[in-house]
Amino acid sequence: MSDTFKSIRNANDSQEAVRRLSATLNEITGYKQIELVKQKVQDQAQAFEYTRDQVQIAKKRYELSIATRSNTQRGINELLQRKHLWTGDDVTQFTELYRLEHEHAKEEDLARSNYERMEKQMDREYMDLARCIMERYHDEQLWSDKIRSVSTYGTWALMGLNVLLFIAVQTIFEPRKRKRLTDQFETLLVEKVDEQEEKFSQVSEALARTDQVLMEQQQTIVDLVTNLSLQSAPVVEPVAAVAVDTVGDIPNFVPEDELSLSSETLAPSQAPPTSDVPSYTLSQNSLIVYSLESALAGSLVTALAFFLWK
């Protein structure tokens, strides 16, 4: 029950708020005068309806009084037609009818005057109603013209405001927005470029380390192959020999005429003792092929790293 009462009270409060808001708006716009005129027209219409009903009642009373007087006059005429046959009762009846006819004539005159007065009142009420309707029409027309003029000025004001806003947007806000977006885009682009450069530097460092490791492995293999060839080969082949520069990372090829090796240098007395380690012979062509294969492998690793980075 309490919830129902609360809902009803809230509904009443809402209706009251709407009514007050409507009254305030009518007061501001001048429609309150129109409301008063409309109420006046309604009141005048009700008064006209009441007066018309009273006219109908007065008319019926007048018609009834006419009928009653006519009946009384008919009775008097009948008695007068047989006046030579009157009795005492007829004389008494004639006297009573004559008295009633006089009273009925007075009532008929009163009803006629009342009927005429009510008709005049109805005519006045009708004229007042027509005047109120004309007044309402005139006030509504003035209010409509005022609202139309206000609406026209309001429309022009809104158009001017829209033009000013358009100009302000195109000359002030839109350039600022474009500049802000451009700055944000440049910031994001710089951040992205820095991020890509950082990734590229990391990949470059990884590739450099990989190349260094490959070069170290290649140098180790070349040193091992050179040592094995020097230990196992009795005679140096007539092709260019390989000498390893211990200072640099890349082996240097020395021609045969610059290499001071002879058969006495590799005499059997100075040859290293034989062991269980197998002997390997590596020519200059084999070394070149191995170097090219190592370079090709390094290139493949570099290309794979670039592909994965992208």
Side-chain angles (χ1 to χ4, degrees):
M1 293 293 291
S2 60
D3 295 337
T4 304
F5 290 151
K6 287 181 180 179
S7 62
I8 293 174
R9 185 174 59 188
N10 292 331
N12 293 331
D13 294 339
S14 300
Q15 293 178 358
E16 183 66 21
V18 171
R19 189 182 64 80
R20 290 181 179 179
L21 181 62
S22 178
T24 304
L25 183 61
N26 292 335
E27 184 71 25
I28 293 173
T29 58
Y31 196 75
K32 185 177 180 180
Q33 183 65 27
I34 305 299
E35 293 289 339
L36 295 176
V37 175
K38 288 172 65 177
Q39 186 64 35
K40 185 178 180 180
V41 170
Q42 293 178 0
D43 295 340
Q44 190 62 38
Q46 292 178 358
F48 175 74
E49 293 289 337
Y50 176 77
T51 305
R52 188 175 60 181
D53 294 337
Q54 293 296 322
V55 169
Q56 296 295 328
I57 294 173
K59 182 179 179 181
K60 290 180 179 180
R61 289 180 179 176
Y62 177 61
E63 291 176 351
L64 181 60
S65 63
I66 291 175
T68 302
R69 184 182 178 187
S70 297
N71 292 329
T72 304
Q73 288 180 354
R74 189 180 301 111
I76 293 173
N77 291 330
E78 290 178 355
L79 289 175
L80 288 175
Q81 287 177 1
R82 55 184 185 87
K83 184 177 181 181
H84 59 281
L85 297 177
W86 280 2
T87 61
D89 295 332
D90 293 333
V91 174
T92 303
Q93 184 179 3
F94 177 80
T95 304
E96 184 67 21
L97 289 175
Y98 194 80
R99 184 181 64 81
L100 291 175
E101 195 272 338
H102 181 68
E103 291 179 358
H104 292 163
K106 290 172 43 176
E107 291 178 357
E108 181 180 354
D109 293 337
L110 183 62
R112 184 179 65 255
S113 62
N114 187 25
Y115 175 64
E116 292 175 353
R117 182 175 60 81
M118 294 305 299
E119 280 187 341
K120 292 179 180 179
Q121 181 66 24
M122 185 180 69
D123 292 338
R124 285 194 299 269
E125 295 291 342
Y126 178 77
M127 294 300 296
D128 292 339
L129 178 61
R131 186 171 59 254
C132 291
I133 292 174
M134 292 296 295
E135 183 180 359
R136 174 185 174 182
Y137 175 77
H138 181 262
D139 292 343
E140 287 182 350
Q141 189 68 29
L142 291 178
W143 183 83
S144 178
D145 294 339
K146 182 174 68 175
I147 295 298
R148 190 181 296 109
S149 62
V150 171
S151 177
T152 302
Y153 290 127
T155 302
W156 282 104
L158 289 176
M159 291 177 62
L161 181 61
N162 289 330
V163 171
L164 291 177
L165 288 176
F166 177 77
I167 296 173
V169 167
Q170 294 298 325
T171 57
I172 299 175
F173 298 106
E174 193 64 25
R176 291 183 179 179
K177 182 179 178 181
R178 287 196 297 268
K179 186 177 182 301
R180 186 170 62 253
L181 292 176
T182 304
D183 294 340
Q184 292 178 357
F185 178 74
E186 290 179 353
T187 303
L188 293 175
L189 184 60
V190 170
E191 292 178 354
K192 192 65 176 178
V193 169
D194 293 339
E195 183 180 356
Q196 296 296 330
E197 289 181 353
E198 184 178 359
K199 290 182 179 180
F200 181 75
S201 62
Q202 293 177 357
V203 173
S204 299
E205 292 176 358
L207 292 175
R209 289 194 297 268
T210 304
D211 291 339
Q212 184 178 0
V213 171
L214 290 175
M215 293 296 294
E216 291 177 356
Q217 292 178 356
Q218 183 179 359
Q219 182 66 33
T220 303
I221 293 172
V222 170
D223 293 339
L224 179 60
V225 171
T226 304
N227 293 330
L228 291 176
S229 64
L230 292 175
Q231 293 176 4
S232 60
V235 180
V236 180
E237 295 180 358
V239 294
V242 179
V244 180
D245 187 4
T246 58
V247 179
D249 294 335
I250 302 176
N252 297 322
F253 296 95
V254 181
E256 182 181 1
D257 54 357
E258 295 180 3
L259 184 61
S260 60
L261 291 178
S262 61
S263 60
E264 288 83 10
T265 307
L266 297 175
S269 60
Q270 296 180 358
T274 60
S275 61
D276 296 335
V277 180
S279 60
Y280 299 93
T281 301
L282 184 63
S283 63
Q284 185 179 5
N285 294 329
S286 300
L287 184 60
I288 292 173
V289 171
Y290 180 76
S291 299
L292 291 176
E293 290 178 352
S294 299
L296 181 60
S299 300
L300 290 175
V301 171
T302 304
L304 180 61
F306 271 107
F307 178 75
L308 294 176
W309 175 67
K310 290 180 179 181

